[in-house]
Amino acid sequence: MGVGNFTLANAETVYIEDLHVHGYYNGGELDIDQTNLDYENLEETLVSLLPDSFYKVENESYGGGSIIAENNFYSIVLTHWVGYYALSVVIRDNDVRYDWGINPLAAHHHARVALRFFDKIHEIYPLRVPTSAWTSGMYQKKLAA
């Protein structure tokens, strides 16, 4: 039995296959230094595509992955899973003005913010989206530029 697709609560998620981040390796063995460099390049590229309201975050984990950037409403989480990176836009539950911790404005705009970000990424990396707990399909650009 497989591990299924990666998901986080209160998140919109897409997948970037390892192949598109790391390419092919001779002999089937990964070079750790090259893998780390590939990851750093991926992270820098993703952060560069975010609106100015986001700031880079270092060494903060979330749900098995790393928070690479955030603003007052959302955290951008990058998680390496089995054969791909899961990129999630997570609604932050840090607003003490509301019992549930989530600002209603963040919840209202969540899908649109995530799709706009994913559309930019899709111009660089082919994305996949979960279609069930075990399968994924090709991402289709959602919003007009």
Side-chain angles (χ1 to χ4, degrees):
M1 180 108 91
V3 295
N5 283 330
F6 182 85
T7 59
L8 289 172
N10 296 323
E12 297 286 338
T13 302
V14 294
Y15 307 136
I16 305 170
E17 294 179 8
D18 281 349
L19 168 66
H20 301 296
V21 176
H22 303 293
Y24 291 107
Y25 289 93
N26 294 330
E29 291 192 27
L30 296 177
D31 177 322
I32 294 300
D33 292 334
Q34 184 61 48
T35 301
N36 289 339
L37 183 60
D38 293 342
Y39 176 83
E40 289 172 11
N41 289 337
L42 172 64
E43 188 176 300
E44 289 300 320
T45 299
L46 296 174
V47 170
S48 75
L49 297 172
L50 288 164
D52 291 339
S53 65
F54 284 85
Y55 56 91
K56 186 174 171 79
V57 174
E58 306 230 2
N59 300 320
E60 191 171 335
S61 61
Y62 182 94
S66 298
I67 298 175
I68 62 171
E70 62 188 6
N71 66 13
N72 289 335
F73 288 162
Y74 310 105
S75 294
I76 308 301
V77 179
L78 188 59
T79 307
H80 192 255
W81 203 239
V82 180
Y84 62 85
Y85 288 90
L87 178 66
S88 304
V89 178
V90 181
I91 301 175
R92 295 183 68 192
D93 60 354
N94 61 346
D95 199 324
V96 296
R97 296 175 297 174
Y98 305 98
D99 292 339
W100 55 89
I102 294 175
N103 185 303
L105 191 59
H108 176 75
H109 290 287
H110 184 220
R112 187 166 183 82
V113 167
L115 291 176
R116 185 167 283 143
F117 179 45
F118 297 158
D119 283 353
K120 288 180 183 178
I121 297 165
H122 189 59
E123 294 176 11
I124 300 169
Y125 299 104
L127 299 178
R128 297 188 68 80
V129 292
T131 55
S132 75
W134 302 98
T135 61
S136 65
M138 291 304 296
Y139 178 85
Q140 299 293 318
K141 194 169 180 178
K142 305 289 193 276
L143 299 175

